[in-house]
Amino acid sequence: MKILLKDAAILYWDVTLKVIQNGYVAIEDNLIKSVGSVSDLHLLEWQPDRVLSLPGRAIMPGLVNTHNHAAMSLLRGYSDDVPLQTWLERDIFPAEDCMTPEDVYWGSLAAILEMQKSGTTTFADMYFYMDKTAEAVLESGMRASLAKGMIGLGPNTQEYLLGSREFFDTYHLAGHGRIQVMLGPHALYTCPPDFLNEVIDLASELGTGIHIHVSETLKEVEDSYRQFNKSPVKVLEELGLFEHQVLAAHTVHVDDSDQKILVEKQVGIAHNPVSNLKLASGVAPIASLLAQGGLVSLGTDGAASTNTLDLFAEMKLAAWLQKNYTGDASAINSEQILRMATIDGAKVLGFDRVGNIAAGFKADLIVIDLNQAHLTPHHNLASLLAYSVQGKDVETVIIDGNIVVENGKSTRIDEKRVVAEMLERGLRIKRDATEGMTEQRKQL
Amino acid sequence: MKILLKDAAILYWDVTLKVIQNGYVAIEDNLIKSVGSVSDLHLLEWQPDRVLSLPGRAIMPGLVNTHNHAAMSLLRGYSDDVPLQTWLERDIFPAEDCMTPEDVYWGSLAAILEMQKSGTTTFADMYFYMDKTAEAVLESGMRASLAKGMIGLGPNTQEYLLGSREFFDTYHLAGHGRIQVMLGPHALYTCPPDFLNEVIDLASELGTGIHIHVSETLKEVEDSYRQFNKSPVKVLEELGLFEHQVLAAHTVHVDDSDQKILVEKQVGIAHNPVSNLKLASGVAPIASLLAQGGLVSLGTDGAASTNTLDLFAEMKLAAWLQKNYTGDASAINSEQILRMATIDGAKVLGFDRVGNIAAGFKADLIVIDLNQAHLTPHHNLASLLAYSVQGKDVETVIIDGNIVVENGKSTRIDEKRVVAEMLERGLRIKRDATEGMTEQRKQL
């Protein structure tokens, strides 16, 4: 399919952020064929199948959400306003115990629908029943980096490794490369060094990356000092983990020496500001990491700890927090925020030629109508996109050359059905988790 | 006009938050006539002119934004990512110098449109050319507490007082009571005690309240200690300001003793979390004030320092910040957040019978479609409304018994015209402010 988008402001990455005021994007199959000014369109000898004239709109690279547990959308609002341990142990774990593979499919599909409609074209996930999430990704036209969550404690560690290997063999590069598979050891405190060494070996063998939670809470860091006499970052470095492509989620409690390691090893960081505040985990030193040349991206974490998967909300919060955290309103700017949410997100996930609007890149882009009162005047396009747009301002979404959302409606997913499934499954999970689990589940 | 809304979940305030699952709201003229369960609807002997059946929707009290400078929407994105003093002195003040009364009218109308479409039915404003904002309020069907900004330094102090008195005489209770007028001395650092004494006298005479910025930045507090040897809150208390109804914006830097005064005097606080972070001012101790019984509400501040006027975004941030700031994820909950954004906001502004859905209250309410993927499942309605809804989820808005937004479209304001005016005026202000002002404007 050949699609021509024209008459819009095109925002793209050169060395810095650039804007073509009255531009076009030509898409052929899953790639961007060419980008330019509408005045040069006559030079393009090319016949599109479809033309979208988009005056008053901005076209920007699709957003990349680098840390999610998509199926947790089923637990949105299930437990709020309680301390982390209560949240996890009293509420979330028992509810997750009641989730079936079909629940994970529908929860993932609902999350993908929410993400696509709010401008996210690629996400990274770590959870269980990951083949069900993969199924939802394939059907929905989404791009994703998927990792089966692995726990390195208890009797099932070899099964986890085997499961990850099988998942890799089945899904890596599926959907014409839309899915990439990473390994997902949950965290240092649930995956001891011996197990992580096996994960590293497997990553080497498969030639893939590792998605892991790192230094999310102060307790995690204190426990690491108690057990290893060093920080989680230092332990992981010494294990050689960072010689591989690593996606480190959170990195809230990282001291200067940890930061130096993360920057030097170009560890991909998924910053999840909403989740970190909501669970009172803290504020990650993102401005500092960026100033040192760190590779930072944005994630939402699961909807149970974020309540929305709108990456535009995370962008705003990431900016506001760093300004206040550093006491310097100039500590981070809208261009850095947009970079974290697009091209640097794709880089963190190791997707090749994703996250920019440029010839040869994957055709992942979103269209936003700027002719709305809350997006005027047009003093500064980067500021509007980073600080004023909300998820629902996204009008049209293209992933891998396919229009998956048009005029705010999904072209791929039956939203009515998703809503009905979510309501019913949400009720059932709550009932099962609170009114007594089955004998089988109690024994888990 | 008699309007019946039915088949929706109705969220209202009793002592605590209550929900009628399948409820109705009957509106007659500008008041709520009755609220109840649809199963009791046959008991209501009453013939509506219009019936809205709203299955799958939530109806909640309209939101109250207690601190804004509406016309600053013209400066949205005009200056970001710079320190407060640069922002104000290099960018904002010169741009404001180029704003005409007509600019203030259109900027206010754009802000009101944005607020109404995102669920805000009442706002408090402090700015110049306030008669133009009042005009926009009257036309748009909005409810507002308006204050002409006053500066107590320089040769024009008496003109400010006179202007406020005239504004009060002209607009207080205009629009069938939709407008209430307060006095707006800008802040202690721009209004010395002698001037504030005159303001207090005028407030007594007119029987109205006072809207003032209090302890927004650390510098302001330090300056107060230098000049008065006490905090701004203490100075204002000793002046007797708090014997009147006061709307104190920000209160970021308030120590235990300040907090005690604010609580004891039931000073109405407008908490502006986005603005406070963006300008690196700090985090107001809201959870602490609430725990002591303080009266706290939510505001956006002007769009130049917030970039959106979406009060749903402020609700989320207010919650997330307090949790992290206190290190306790249970420090504040969704019910407290919704209370701040509705009934307590109305209380802070001194609007009688506003902010609840109950018989005899003003018919100010909003309708939200919950049957969307990002608002499922329905584990907890308060959590969904406080933490998951975004401004654009608001479908229908009723103010003072009039439908001002229906299915996401304004029934009162020509959005196309507003957008065109904002684009043109934004460009002109920028040009005038940066390329040199006209002689006439220089003399203003």
Side-chain angles (χ1 to χ4, degrees):
Chain A
M1 178 101 162
K2 296 176 188 172
I3 306 173
L4 176 66
L5 313 179
K6 66 189 191 78
D7 309 322
I10 318 285
L11 184 141
Y12 68 98
W13 298 105
D14 192 354
V15 177
T16 59
L17 188 71
K18 293 284 165 60
V19 178
I20 302 171
Q21 277 304 340
N22 185 23
Y24 77 85
V25 183
I27 296 171
E28 190 161 318
D29 299 327
N30 71 330
L31 296 179
I32 293 168
K33 179 188 169 65
S34 117
V35 182
S37 168
V38 164
S39 60
D40 294 332
L41 198 45
H42 64 281
L43 301 173
L44 186 74
E45 292 182 5
W46 183 75
Q47 215 40 46
D49 303 309
R50 192 149 176 222
V51 178
L52 301 182
S53 170
L54 300 165
R57 270 70 161 192
I59 302 178
M60 66 174 283
L63 307 182
V64 181
N65 178 344
T66 57
H67 186 60
N68 202 346
H69 311 290
M72 290 186 93
S73 60
L74 279 162
L75 303 180
R76 185 199 315 276
Y78 183 75
S79 177
D80 301 296
D81 308 326
V82 293
L84 178 62
Q85 288 310 104
T86 312
W87 180 78
L88 258 182
E89 288 166 18
R90 188 194 68 186
D91 298 332
I92 298 298
F93 287 158
E96 286 183 332
D97 283 346
C98 300
M99 280 166 67
T100 66
E102 282 308 295
D103 290 336
V104 169
Y105 168 79
W106 286 103
S108 299
L109 196 64
I112 290 169
L113 179 57
E114 178 181 359
M115 286 190 277
Q116 288 184 346
K117 288 179 75 173
S118 54
T120 294
T121 54
T122 300
F123 74 109
D125 213 72
M126 181 199 293
Y127 212 54
F128 52 90
Y129 302 139
M130 189 48 62
D131 51 323
K132 292 294 173 178
T133 302
E135 212 178 286
V137 168
L138 291 174
E139 285 176 30
S140 62
M142 196 66 169
R143 192 181 302 284
S145 168
L146 304 180
K148 269 175 97 88
M150 295 192 280
I151 304 293
L153 301 167
N156 301 322
T157 57
Q158 291 311 306
E159 283 170 41
Y160 276 118
L161 289 165
L162 187 63
S164 284
R165 178 191 291 273
E166 285 175 356
F167 183 69
F168 183 91
D169 289 342
T170 311
Y171 289 105
H172 188 61
L173 302 183
H176 304 280
R178 279 191 288 111
I179 292 181
Q180 292 187 177
V181 172
M182 291 177 96
L183 301 183
H186 171 261
L188 176 60
Y189 62 93
T190 49
C191 297
D194 282 355
F195 181 74
L196 285 175
N197 278 324
E198 293 189 80
V199 173
I200 290 169
D201 288 346
L202 185 57
S204 298
E205 184 195 330
L206 302 176
T208 195
I210 295 167
H211 183 170
I212 184 168
H213 296 81
V214 178
S215 301
E216 178 176 3
T217 66
L218 193 57
K219 180 176 182 303
E220 177 185 338
V221 175
E222 287 170 349
D223 287 350
S224 174
Y225 272 96
R226 246 187 300 274
Q227 195 178 351
F228 303 108
N229 205 27
K230 53 191 73 141
S231 73
V233 169
K234 192 75 189 147
V235 174
L236 296 176
E237 186 208 17
E238 290 182 3
L239 283 173
L241 196 85
F242 299 148
E243 305 309 315
H244 296 261
Q245 181 212 345
V246 170
L247 163 53
H250 301 298
T251 66
V252 173
H253 298 279
V254 286
D255 64 16
D256 288 351
S257 148
D258 290 338
Q259 290 181 39
K260 202 159 163 273
I261 293 168
L262 293 170
V263 171
E264 202 174 284
K265 298 292 181 180
Q266 285 291 291
V267 173
I269 291 161
H271 175 44
N272 305 272
V274 173
S275 175
N276 294 338
L277 289 191
K278 186 185 173 197
L279 299 173
S281 303
V283 176
I286 294 308
S288 164
L289 285 160
L290 286 174
Q292 296 171 67
L295 178 58
V296 184
S297 63
L298 281 177
T300 55
D301 211 349
S305 57
T306 318
N307 300 58
T308 114
L309 303 178
D310 177 2
L311 215 62
F312 283 104
E314 303 281 347
M315 280 196 251
K316 294 182 189 80
L317 184 56
W320 308 154
L321 271 184
Q322 292 305 310
K323 290 166 186 292
N324 194 64
Y325 181 79
T326 59
D328 174 6
S330 64
I332 198 165
N333 63 43
S334 54
E335 180 172 332
Q336 288 174 295
I337 293 291
L338 291 169
R339 183 181 286 278
M340 286 163 63
T342 59
I343 195 165
D344 281 0
K347 201 170 167 193
V348 162
L349 300 186
F351 276 103
D352 187 38
R353 303 188 84 73
V354 169
N356 198 2
I357 300 185
F361 269 70
K362 302 283 165 56
D364 291 9
L365 52 82
I366 63 179
V367 178
I368 291 155
D369 183 3
L370 298 176
N371 281 346
Q372 306 179 78
H374 71 287
L375 300 178
T376 59
H378 296 172
H379 291 304
N380 180 331
L381 185 57
S383 163
L384 282 176
L385 293 170
Y387 300 153
S388 297
V389 165
Q390 55 182 296
K392 274 204 163 180
D393 289 322
V394 174
E395 201 176 63
T396 293
V397 177
I398 295 179
I399 304 177
D400 214 39
N402 293 304
I403 299 176
V404 298
V405 173
E406 189 162 8
N407 297 318
K409 304 276 180 219
S410 176
T411 64
R412 296 286 187 109
I413 303 171
D414 178 349
E415 181 153 2
K416 271 197 175 163
R417 173 84 193 275
V418 167
V419 166
E421 294 281 351
M422 289 292 282
L423 295 182
E424 197 184 308
R425 289 170 190 277
L427 282 175
R428 199 213 72 239
I429 291 167
K430 189 170 199 168
R431 196 179 55 229
D432 285 359
T434 56
E435 290 178 13
M437 290 181 271
T438 59
E439 278 312 306
Q440 181 227 330
R441 287 202 185 99
K442 269 186 195 153
Q443 287 164 17
L444 283 176
Chain B
M1 178 96 161
K2 296 175 187 173
I3 306 174
L4 177 65
L5 313 179
K6 67 190 190 77
D7 310 322
I10 319 285
L11 184 141
Y12 68 99
W13 298 105
D14 192 354
V15 178
T16 58
L17 187 71
K18 293 285 167 61
V19 178
I20 302 171
Q21 276 305 338
N22 185 23
Y24 78 84
V25 183
I27 296 171
E28 191 161 317
D29 299 326
N30 71 330
L31 297 179
I32 293 168
K33 178 187 170 67
S34 117
V35 182
S37 168
V38 164
S39 60
D40 294 333
L41 198 45
H42 64 281
L43 301 172
L44 186 74
E45 293 182 4
W46 183 74
Q47 216 39 46
D49 303 309
R50 190 145 180 226
V51 178
L52 301 182
S53 171
L54 300 164
R57 270 70 163 190
I59 302 178
M60 66 174 284
L63 306 182
V64 181
N65 178 345
T66 58
H67 187 60
N68 202 346
H69 311 289
M72 290 187 92
S73 60
L74 278 162
L75 304 180
R76 183 199 316 275
Y78 183 73
S79 176
D80 301 294
D81 309 326
V82 293
L84 178 62
Q85 288 311 103
T86 312
W87 180 77
L88 259 182
E89 289 167 19
R90 188 196 67 186
D91 298 331
I92 298 299
F93 287 158
E96 286 183 331
D97 283 346
C98 300
M99 280 167 69
T100 66
E102 282 308 296
D103 290 336
V104 168
Y105 168 79
W106 286 104
S108 299
L109 196 64
I112 290 169
L113 179 57
E114 178 180 359
M115 286 191 276
Q116 288 185 346
K117 288 179 77 173
S118 55
T120 294
T121 54
T122 300
F123 74 108
D125 212 73
M126 181 200 292
Y127 213 53
F128 52 89
Y129 302 139
M130 189 47 62
D131 51 324
K132 291 295 174 178
T133 302
E135 209 177 290
V137 167
L138 291 175
E139 284 175 30
S140 61
M142 197 64 169
R143 193 181 301 284
S145 168
L146 303 181
K148 269 177 97 87
M150 295 192 280
I151 303 293
L153 300 168
N156 301 322
T157 59
Q158 292 311 306
E159 283 169 40
Y160 276 119
L161 289 166
L162 187 65
S164 283
R165 178 192 290 274
E166 285 175 356
F167 183 70
F168 182 91
D169 290 343
T170 311
Y171 288 106
H172 187 60
L173 302 182
H176 304 282
R178 279 191 289 112
I179 292 182
Q180 292 188 176
V181 173
M182 290 176 96
L183 302 182
H186 172 261
L188 176 60
Y189 62 93
T190 49
C191 298
D194 282 354
F195 182 73
L196 285 175
N197 278 325
E198 294 188 81
V199 173
I200 291 170
D201 289 345
L202 185 57
S204 297
E205 184 196 329
L206 301 176
T208 195
I210 295 166
H211 184 170
I212 184 168
H213 296 81
V214 179
S215 301
E216 178 176 3
T217 65
L218 194 58
K219 179 175 183 302
E220 175 185 339
V221 175
E222 288 170 350
D223 288 348
S224 173
Y225 271 97
R226 245 188 301 274
Q227 193 178 352
F228 303 107
N229 203 27
K230 53 191 75 140
S231 73
V233 169
K234 192 74 190 150
V235 174
L236 296 176
E237 186 207 17
E238 290 181 2
L239 284 173
L241 196 86
F242 299 148
E243 305 309 317
H244 296 260
Q245 183 212 345
V246 170
L247 163 53
H250 300 298
T251 67
V252 173
H253 297 279
V254 286
D255 63 16
D256 289 351
S257 148
D258 290 338
Q259 290 180 40
K260 204 159 162 273
I261 294 169
L262 294 171
V263 172
E264 203 176 284
K265 299 292 180 181
Q266 285 292 290
V267 174
I269 292 161
H271 175 42
N272 304 272
V274 172
S275 174
N276 294 338
L277 289 191
K278 188 187 172 195
L279 298 174
S281 303
V283 176
I286 295 307
S288 165
L289 285 160
L290 286 174
Q292 295 172 67
L295 178 58
V296 184
S297 63
L298 281 177
T300 55
D301 212 349
S305 57
T306 318
N307 301 58
T308 115
L309 303 177
D310 177 1
L311 214 61
F312 282 103
E314 302 280 348
M315 279 196 252
K316 293 183 190 78
L317 184 57
W320 309 153
L321 270 185
Q322 292 303 309
K323 291 167 185 292
N324 195 64
Y325 181 78
T326 60
D328 174 6
S330 65
I332 199 164
N333 62 45
S334 54
E335 181 172 333
Q336 289 173 295
I337 293 291
L338 291 170
R339 183 182 286 276
M340 286 162 62
T342 59
I343 195 164
D344 280 1
K347 201 171 166 189
V348 162
L349 300 186
F351 276 103
D352 187 37
R353 303 187 84 72
V354 169
N356 198 2
I357 300 186
F361 269 70
K362 302 282 165 55
D364 291 7
L365 52 81
I366 64 178
V367 178
I368 290 154
D369 184 3
L370 299 175
N371 281 347
Q372 304 179 80
H374 71 286
L375 301 178
T376 60
H378 296 171
H379 291 305
N380 180 332
L381 184 57
S383 162
L384 282 177
L385 293 171
Y387 301 153
S388 297
V389 164
Q390 54 181 297
K392 275 205 163 178
D393 289 323
V394 174
E395 202 177 64
T396 293
V397 178
I398 295 179
I399 304 178
D400 215 38
N402 294 305
I403 299 176
V404 298
V405 173
E406 190 162 8
N407 297 319
K409 304 274 180 219
S410 176
T411 65
R412 296 285 186 108
I413 303 171
D414 178 348
E415 182 153 3
K416 271 197 177 164
R417 173 84 194 274
V418 167
V419 166
E421 293 282 352
M422 289 292 281
L423 295 183
E424 196 184 308
R425 288 169 191 276
L427 282 176
R428 199 214 73 238
I429 291 167
K430 189 171 199 166
R431 195 179 56 229
D432 286 358
T434 54
E435 292 178 14
M437 289 181 272
T438 61
E439 277 312 305
Q440 181 226 333
R441 288 204 184 97
K442 271 186 197 159
Q443 288 162 18
L444 280 177

